Amino acid sequence: MKQLCDEAFFQAFVRMCDDGWQQGWHERNGGNLSYRLRPEEAVRIQPMLDQKGPWTEIGVSVPGLAKEFFLVTGSGKYFRNVILNPEDNTAIIEIDGEGVNYRIRWGLSGGGRPTSELPSHLMNHEVKKEVSNGRHRVIYHAHTTNVIALTFVLPLKDEVFTRELWEMATECPVVFPDGVGVVGWMVPGGRTIAQATSKLMYQYDAVIWAHHGMFASGEDFDGTFGLMHTIEKSAEILMKVLAVRPDKLQTITPDNFRDLAADFNVTLPERFLYDK
Ligand code: 2HA
Ligand code: ZN
């Protein structure tokens, strides 16, 4: 019989966990990943779903995700172990018809619960499903070192983070033309931070959590990992620049960005192209 681990989406999920671990973004049990299955994938895996766990409250209401299936990392599980034993470290969950409860249908073979950030993942999925007309399927949370460092030294404003990160690499405004959102420090793992983050997901594909990490959303694993990687690399360059010469000698100017936007067919909101 076909196994879940033969599915392409499952293999891409496991690979992405390992890629994130290799980048150094997942110390201990840090970070989490979720994937909203395509209808045909959910149908195909039904014979492999060997559990019907108890319905459990999500803690938030996501009616837009009623009856959807997700592959998620487990709470307290280490990204570095996912590739060694995916069945123990991840789970397939099903959302009920109202979008208020979930149940485990496969995985977490040694026991456990889905990621502690399930409210944020599901609220972000609900928003992104709506605004992308169903195209976005991946939500990724990582403890990206340089982005975290920046939240101690830059004002916690979307405009400032977006502009500074854009300036650090020419392709940045092409990769995240809508910019990045910033949430001030909040207690992780609950409804309040989920609400604040998902509100920003209407506008942005990436949201920074001050002194904690980042959330990224995308259509597939490559695009979502690539977005996280691009932003974190840009933050790394910015940290180096700030360490050596905070008053940059030269940079990419607002008019440079406007020229880039015209040539690369992207719209860059003028609110990020302010005079400094
Ligand atoms: O430990 O990253 O935000 C998992 C987390 C919580
Ligand atoms: Zn975290």
Side-chain angles (χ1 to χ4, degrees):
M1 196 180 93
K2 240 186 142 217
Q3 307 275 317
L4 208 58
C5 55
D6 298 326
E7 288 283 333
F9 77 84
F10 192 84
Q11 291 170 0
F13 184 103
V14 170
R15 178 183 170 213
M16 182 154 153
C17 289
D18 198 58
D19 285 345
W21 155 249
Q22 303 277 352
Q23 289 295 327
W25 303 336
H26 300 286
E27 76 291 338
R28 203 172 179 277
N29 61 321
N32 19 80
L33 177 62
S34 63
Y35 170 72
R36 184 169 59 85
L37 272 69
R38 296 176 180 281
E40 63 273 22
E41 290 165 340
V43 168
R44 201 162 58 224
I45 66 162
Q46 289 304 312
M48 308 169 212
L49 301 179
D50 54 359
Q51 300 177 34
K52 274 208 171 118
W55 288 110
T56 307
E57 280 184 9
I58 300 165
V60 295
S61 166
V62 284
L65 301 178
K67 301 195 165 153
E68 295 260 17
F69 287 80
F70 290 87
L71 175 58
V72 300
T73 49
S75 177
K77 302 294 186 183
Y78 290 27
F79 264 50
R80 66 185 280 259
N81 291 336
V82 171
I83 199 165
L84 297 177
N85 191 349
E87 186 154 0
D88 187 37
N89 291 287
T90 71
I92 298 272
I93 61 166
E94 177 184 3
I95 308 298
D96 70 3
E98 279 74 53
V100 292
N101 296 293
Y102 74 86
R103 65 178 173 181
I104 297 174
R105 300 299 312 276
W106 178 94
L108 290 170
S109 53
R113 289 180 289 113
T115 167
S116 60
E117 302 293 359
L118 193 64
S120 281
H121 277 261
L122 293 181
M123 286 193 80
N124 290 343
H125 272 295
E126 188 182 42
V127 167
K128 283 308 198 182
K129 182 183 170 188
E130 182 194 332
V131 299
S132 74
N133 291 318
R135 287 196 314 278
H136 277 221
R137 297 192 169 273
V138 182
I139 298 285
Y140 180 32
H141 169 56
H143 294 176
T144 39
T145 315
N146 292 282
V147 165
I148 297 170
L150 282 179
T151 64
F152 294 89
V153 296
L154 290 184
L156 298 175
K157 291 198 160 72
D158 304 0
E159 290 80 3
V160 175
F161 268 80
T162 298
R163 175 65 174 279
E164 293 299 323
L165 290 167
W166 278 2
E167 281 185 34
M168 290 304 110
T170 296
E171 71 184 63
C172 279
V174 181
V175 175
F176 50 103
D178 299 330
V180 296
V182 184
V183 171
W185 188 87
M186 292 176 89
V187 176
R191 173 207 286 265
T192 320
I193 198 166
Q195 285 167 335
T197 311
S198 61
K199 203 167 144 210
L200 291 172
M201 283 287 179
Y202 279 102
Q203 283 178 71
Y204 305 114
D205 288 344
V207 175
I208 291 167
W209 280 3
H211 322 324
H212 184 144
M214 185 166 28
F215 265 84
S217 174
E219 297 183 16
D220 54 27
F221 296 103
D222 278 353
T224 313
F225 188 83
L227 176 62
M228 186 74 82
H229 200 187
T230 303
I231 295 173
E232 168 60 8
K233 177 159 182 185
S234 184
E236 181 181 351
I237 300 168
L238 185 53
M239 285 302 293
K240 291 180 201 282
V241 171
L242 291 173
V244 176
R245 177 145 190 174
D247 60 329
K248 300 164 208 154
L249 195 54
Q250 56 267 324
T251 187
I252 306 171
T253 67
D255 277 342
N256 292 155
F257 285 125
R258 291 182 187 106
D259 290 345
L260 191 72
D263 262 34
F264 280 77
N265 263 320
V266 290
T267 307
L268 300 179
E270 278 292 321
R271 74 185 173 102
F272 300 130
L273 303 180
Y274 51 85
D275 291 326
K276 290 194 202 169

